[in-house]
Amino acid sequence: MYEKGILLCATKNSGFVIGTQLLNLVFQMPDLDVIYVVHDGFLAKDVQIMKSICKFIDLKFISFEEFDFVKKIHETNKIDVSLSDYDVWSRYTHMTFGRFEALRLLSECKKILYIDFDMILRGSVNELYAIDKPLAMTRASASLEYGLGFKVNGIDCSVSNYGAPIILFTNYLNKPNNLYNEIYNFTAENFLKLSKGKLLDQAVFTAIILKNNLEVEVIDSDIYNGNCAWKK
């Protein structure tokens, strides 16, 4: 059983970015046990380079193609899905849901820290692994209703979303595989409405967190999330 893991996600055309992240992680956190890389088909040459970077940290590759994502959606709502038909899905791509693969890996790693592929660590974040709650996330400013594009019965959708650029998943989560399935069931059942929303993964995850009354350690976004301006 691994103690401390990192999870990264990227489409196959972003191998250089992941390589840069790996160099950063090996330098800043050489005591990591494992790094998981969720991808949809890196070149064999890129994979070999990444392995050469992580000589003393286990590096595991998790396949997550658009076909896999679409299949999960189709299995629930039985509609044919083409992500390219929707602007918001084209912008985020299926890989935005790759971060939730961490839920399936908690059986072999006690704590897994997901970080967006455009984030670089300026120092060790080992203090996050000391958190003894099911999840740790930043809090965003936009409301859940804005993020989803609709209201959900039984949930206060006026509350702010949890941020998803950095998420600590821990084995304090009860039945993480059930949560994984719930994320995809919710996404499938509301796929067309979500396609008119703005924040996709973080809004979906916030809804699941609230629905299940999960305990979340809110971490400081000024420390653990880069501040940048972007056009909504």
Side-chain angles (χ1 to χ4, degrees), residues 32-100:
L32 284 170
D33 297 314
V34 61
I35 299 175
Y36 300 100
V37 179
V38 179
H39 69 106
D40 60 2
F42 288 140
L43 295 174
K45 181 179 180 181
D46 290 339
V47 170
Q48 290 303 315
I49 292 173
M50 293 175 194
K51 288 180 177 179
S52 70
I53 293 171
C54 299
K55 292 180 180 179
F56 305 107
I57 300 173
D58 284 357
L59 182 63
K60 295 190 174 185
F61 294 89
I62 312 296
S63 177
F64 183 74
E65 299 188 27
E66 182 174 323
F67 170 81
D68 301 317
F69 176 81
V70 170
K71 182 180 178 182
K72 294 178 191 296
I73 301 302
H74 180 75
E75 286 174 348
T76 298
N77 67 12
K78 306 305 179 185
I79 66 172
D80 292 326
V81 173
S82 176
L83 300 187
S84 61
D85 291 340
Y86 305 94
D87 289 343
V88 69
W89 288 105
S90 295
R91 170 186 166 191
Y92 282 96
T93 81
H94 66 287
M95 196 56 70
T96 195
F97 275 64
R99 70 197 71 203
F100 301 128

Side-chain angles (χ1 to χ4, degrees), residues 97-134:
F97 275 64
R99 70 197 71 203
F100 301 128
E101 294 302 300
L103 292 167
R104 305 175 73 182
L105 297 166
L106 289 173
S107 60
E108 65 175 60
C109 186
K110 292 182 179 179
K111 295 182 178 181
I112 300 174
L113 184 67
Y114 163 80
I115 58 175
D116 268 353
F117 83 145
D118 57 355
M119 295 177 70
I120 293 294
L121 301 185
R122 298 175 61 191
S124 171
V125 290
N126 271 327
E127 67 276 8
L128 294 179
Y129 291 102
I131 292 173
D132 58 359
K133 293 183 180 178

Side-chain angles (χ1 to χ4, degrees), residues 219-230:
I219 56 178
D220 192 337
S221 61
D222 288 336
I223 297 174
Y224 297 107
N225 186 19
N227 292 316
C228 60
W230 62 286

